[in-house]
Amino acid sequence: MMTEDGALRFFYFNIQHAVEVHDWIIDHSGGLVGTKDIGELESPLEHIKNDIYYPNMERKLTHLVFGINKNHAFNDGNKRSSIALGGYFLELNGYDFVVTRFVQEMENIAVWVADNVIDKALLFEIVTSLIYEEEYSEALKLAIAIATLKADEQKNRESLC
């Protein structure tokens, strides 16, 4: 949908919906119930409404997923919630054609984001590719491989100490 000035209009969900989705996830897949800090959930939900900092779907979605994943608003299920809420944000804004692929691909990506293997810049590249390309480019596959190899090397060095 477009605004009067020709910009894309985005649809958002509220914090209550985010908490309800999280609670459903915990009820159906297990984990600790409840929130640690609701402000850590409010933050990315509000920030993505700022079209100056997050002017397009890929920037909004990257910040939403990264923020929910890393901020740890919930006692448990932050990664699962970041994927589910990211998928819902895509669907809400007419990107339903990519939701299934997004959810499937983000399963490992969300773990790597939480483990600091994939940073926000690489997540942005991944999200952009998921939205606009049928498969990852060779350059993106290489960037993901390098990030995971570096993390493995770091773990190996730490285990030797």
Side-chain angles (χ1 to χ4, degrees), residues 38-161:
I38 202 73
E40 295 293 348
L41 179 59
E42 288 172 331
S43 177
L45 294 179
E46 287 302 313
H47 286 168
I48 63 171
K49 295 177 185 176
N50 185 329
D51 291 336
I52 294 171
Y53 290 111
Y54 309 104
N56 52 38
M57 174 53 81
E58 53 273 25
R59 295 244 179 246
K60 290 176 185 295
L61 183 58
T62 298
H63 187 73
L64 177 69
V65 170
F66 190 85
I68 293 171
N69 184 306
K70 298 294 284 179
N71 289 356
H72 296 281
F74 301 111
N75 290 323
D76 200 3
N78 293 287
K79 292 183 287 292
R80 290 172 282 167
S81 294
S82 72
I83 295 168
L85 293 170
Y88 179 67
F89 187 64
L90 283 165
E91 185 176 3
L92 192 61
N93 284 286
Y95 290 80
D96 48 313
F97 61 93
V98 75
V99 171
T100 299
R101 180 170 177 236
F102 173 83
V103 170
Q104 290 171 343
E105 295 287 334
M106 288 301 295
E107 201 168 322
N108 287 328
I109 301 298
V111 172
W112 290 332
V113 168
D115 290 344
N116 298 316
V117 173
I118 291 181
D119 63 13
K120 194 173 185 182
L122 183 52
L123 179 62
F124 172 74
E125 290 182 48
I126 293 166
V127 164
T128 301
S129 178
L130 288 171
I131 293 173
Y132 300 113
E133 300 169 353
E134 287 189 31
E135 60 181 57
Y136 296 144
S137 68
E138 293 303 313
L140 182 54
K141 290 176 186 176
L142 184 59
I144 294 168
I146 289 170
T148 58
L149 286 171
K150 284 182 181 178
D152 287 344
E153 288 173 359
Q154 180 66 30
K155 284 181 185 175
N156 289 337
R157 278 194 295 272
E158 290 171 0
S159 69
L160 293 174
C161 295

